[in-house]
Amino acid sequence: MKILQRVGFLTLLAFSIVFPLLFSDAVTTTVAIFTLIIMTAATGWNLFAGSTRYLSLGHAMFYGLGAYILAGICQIGHIEGGAWPLFLLPIVGLITGLCALPLGWIALQTKRFTFMVITIAIFSLVSLFPNFLPQASAMFLPIPPWSGDTFNIPFYYAALLLLFSSLLVAWAVRSSKFGLCLLAIGDDEDRALGLGNKVALHKLTAWIISAIFVGMAGALNAYYLGVLDPTSAFERSVNVALPATVFIGGIGTLTGPLLGALFTVPLQQYLTLQYGNIQGLDLILYGVLLLLVILFLPQGVGPVLRKRMFAAVQVFKGTGQGQTLAASDILGASAFVAHPIFPYGSTRDDVGSVWGLEGIVRSSNSVPLSMKRGYDSMKAPRLIPLAHEGDGDPRSTGSLKKLDDPNTTGSLRKFGETATGSFKISRLVPLSQERTGDNAL
């Protein structure tokens, strides 16, 4: 399974790098740029909400703040068009993160459903920010000097690099103790707090990291469009687009934002080209898709595909008992391919104890790894009283001959009788020796 994942990742990486060279059409590359930008913003949103389960409906404020921060830097610094505005994206992200610090401190004083309402209220307040600027109606960003044939290529690779950076950070967070604490917050925040975790600090840190990538995505989108106004910067549909994209692909997963954006953004752009910029068309699209996913694929497209791939691998490996399954069984398979360990009509006692299952568990390739680990833990040494050891096992030293032997000293003669001597201290004895001792008794 890991080999397939690595091969698939390298294949997608190579394809994404050569994509603008294979498809040089301006419309295709434009859709690809918008898709990569939404992937980056959705990855940032998922980094916070997917782990902590704090669903933000106001992340479009960072999308707009990043756009206005880049426009302000370019105007104040008299920066011309070209690659320099692209190099300023990390600085824009850091400034957006600083702006997100007080906003997050206010919003995270609440929990869950109240938090969702607070994020909407904060977005409404932040969206009024352009009205206090000298150029409240519209701002123009520097015009890149690239020709029409190669105009989209720098933006495509900038968006691709930004996406890889967000995925790398998301993967590092998930693999760290910090990410584990975020998952604990999403599972049970009160319990995570009771275990001594700095819950408030972790939530605020994740909020800031999320805002950084959403702000950089908004800045890149504004530079690509070339013009900025309050309506396009603080677009309300982004508040719905980011959660819907993540939910469609699979919330809490690395590939969820990618799959969701890969499906929704091209469809949205196609409908826009066919029917024009109808007011509310994108909201209708995201609402219908989100409703269908929640009803029929509540876990998202990504986890379902992962389960199907795992089931397919198990089918191709075989059941370990000479049985074969049809390819159509993959579609109906669950997350794990369950095969009966015990024959039909029998019980556990008919098969025997753990030793009777050893051959089945060891020989079956289809047994999940968790079951094999469970079997190993059952065979692991554990504490049993010295009085329960038998003398029939040559590996047992210093154990009792029999519990009812009157000549035995230093332990119990019989259950219920007075003990002579002192109790023996229990020691570690392998389970295999316990079985030999039980038979001897």
Side-chain angles (χ1 to χ4, degrees), residues 235-259:
E235 191 173 358
R236 298 180 183 273
S237 62
V238 177
N239 288 328
V240 181
L242 297 184
T245 299
V246 175
F247 272 102
I248 291 172
I251 187 171
T253 62
L254 288 177
T255 58
L258 310 184
L259 294 175

Side-chain angles (χ1 to χ4, degrees), residues 320-356:
Q321 298 177 355
Q323 300 178 2
T324 58
L325 295 178
S328 59
D329 295 335
I330 300 176
L331 298 178
S334 58
F336 295 99
V337 181
H339 302 284
I341 294 297
F342 308 105
Y344 292 104
S346 63
T347 61
R348 185 184 187 281
D349 296 333
D350 298 332
V351 179
S353 59
V354 178
W355 298 272

Side-chain angles (χ1 to χ4, degrees), residues 156-226:
Y156 175 85
Y157 285 112
L160 185 63
L161 182 61
L162 193 61
L163 175 61
F164 285 156
S165 301
S166 63
L167 290 175
L168 182 62
V169 172
W171 176 81
V173 168
R174 288 175 59 90
S175 304
S176 63
K177 185 179 179 181
F178 170 67
L180 185 62
C181 183
L182 295 179
L183 293 176
I185 294 173
D187 184 48
D188 192 338
E189 183 175 353
D190 294 332
R191 186 175 183 180
L193 181 62
L195 292 175
N197 296 299
K198 299 179 180 179
V199 172
L201 179 60
H202 285 77
K203 290 190 299 183
L204 185 58
T205 304
W207 169 273
I208 294 174
I209 297 175
S210 174
I212 289 174
F213 288 105
V214 176
M216 287 192 291
L220 181 60
N221 179 74
Y223 182 45
Y224 180 66
L225 296 177

Side-chain angles (χ1 to χ4, degrees), residues 90-431:
I91 300 177
V92 171
L94 293 177
I95 298 176
T96 307
L98 292 177
C99 296
L101 177 59
L103 300 177
W105 182 83
I106 296 173
L108 292 173
Q109 299 300 317
T110 60
K111 294 184 179 180
R112 309 302 178 184
F113 300 107
T114 310
F115 172 80
M116 297 172 61
V117 178
I118 289 296
T119 55
I120 298 176
I122 294 177
F123 165 77
S124 300
L125 294 176
V126 174
S127 61
L128 300 176
F129 163 74
N131 297 329
F132 299 96
L133 298 177
Q135 300 176 353
S137 58
M139 295 181 66
F140 294 92
L141 283 87
I143 300 176
W146 305 310
S147 62
D149 297 335
T150 60
F151 183 83
N152 285 344
I153 294 180
F155 287 101
Y156 175 85
Y157 285 112
L160 185 63
L161 182 61
L162 193 61
L163 175 61
F164 285 156
S165 301
S166 63
L167 290 175
L168 182 62
V169 172
W171 176 81
V173 168
R174 288 175 59 90
S175 304
S176 63
K177 185 179 179 181
F178 170 67
L180 185 62
C181 183
L182 295 179
L183 293 176
I185 294 173
D187 184 48
D188 192 338
E189 183 175 353
D190 294 332
R191 186 175 183 180
L193 181 62
L195 292 175
N197 296 299
K198 299 179 180 179
V199 172
L201 179 60
H202 285 77
K203 290 190 299 183
L204 185 58
T205 304
W207 169 273
I208 294 174
I209 297 175
S210 174
I212 289 174
F213 288 105
V214 176
M216 287 192 291
L220 181 60
N221 179 74
Y223 182 45
Y224 180 66
L225 296 177
V227 63
L228 189 61
D229 61 87
T231 304
S232 63
F234 296 94
E235 191 173 358
R236 298 180 183 273
S237 62
V238 177
N239 288 328
V240 181
L242 297 184
T245 299
V246 175
F247 272 102
I248 291 172
I251 187 171
T253 62
L254 288 177
T255 58
L258 310 184
L259 294 175
L262 194 63
F263 179 73
T264 57
V265 177
L267 181 59
Q268 178 196 8
Q269 295 296 322
Y270 172 77
L271 294 178
T272 302
L273 292 175
Q274 292 294 325
Y275 303 102
N277 192 13
I278 301 177
Q279 185 69 24
L281 180 61
D282 50 355
L283 295 177
I284 296 175
L285 172 64
Y286 287 123
V288 172
L289 292 177
L290 184 59
L291 181 61
L292 293 176
V293 168
I294 291 177
L295 290 178
F296 300 102
L297 298 174
Q299 295 180 344
V301 178
V304 172
L305 291 178
R306 182 180 179 87
K307 292 177 182 179
R308 296 291 181 258
M309 291 178 60
F310 184 85
V313 171
Q314 296 300 315
V315 168
F316 289 125
K317 282 185 177 181
T319 61
Q321 298 177 355
Q323 300 178 2
T324 58
L325 295 178
S328 59
D329 295 335
I330 300 176
L331 298 178
S334 58
F336 295 99
V337 181
H339 302 284
I341 294 297
F342 308 105
Y344 292 104
S346 63
T347 61
R348 185 184 187 281
D349 296 333
D350 298 332
V351 179
S353 59
V354 178
W355 298 272
L357 294 175
E358 181 172 4
I360 300 177
V361 175
R362 293 299 185 188
S363 61
S364 177
N365 294 328
S366 60
V367 175
L369 180 61
S370 58
M371 183 179 293
K372 293 183 179 181
R373 289 176 177 173
Y375 168 77
D376 293 335
S377 64
M378 293 172 66
K379 293 285 290 182
R382 64 183 179 88
L383 282 171
I384 65 170
L386 185 64
H388 285 193
E389 296 182 51
D391 61 341
D393 191 350
R395 293 170 290 184
S396 302
T397 58
S399 59
L400 298 179
K401 293 182 178 180
K402 283 187 178 181
L403 291 178
D404 57 352
D405 189 354
N407 298 323
T408 302
T409 58
S411 63
L412 294 176
R413 293 182 180 178
K414 284 186 179 180
F415 293 106
E417 291 189 1
T418 305
T420 58
S422 59
F423 289 99
K424 294 291 184 180
I425 300 177
S426 301
R427 62 184 179 86
L428 284 172
V429 178
L431 191 60

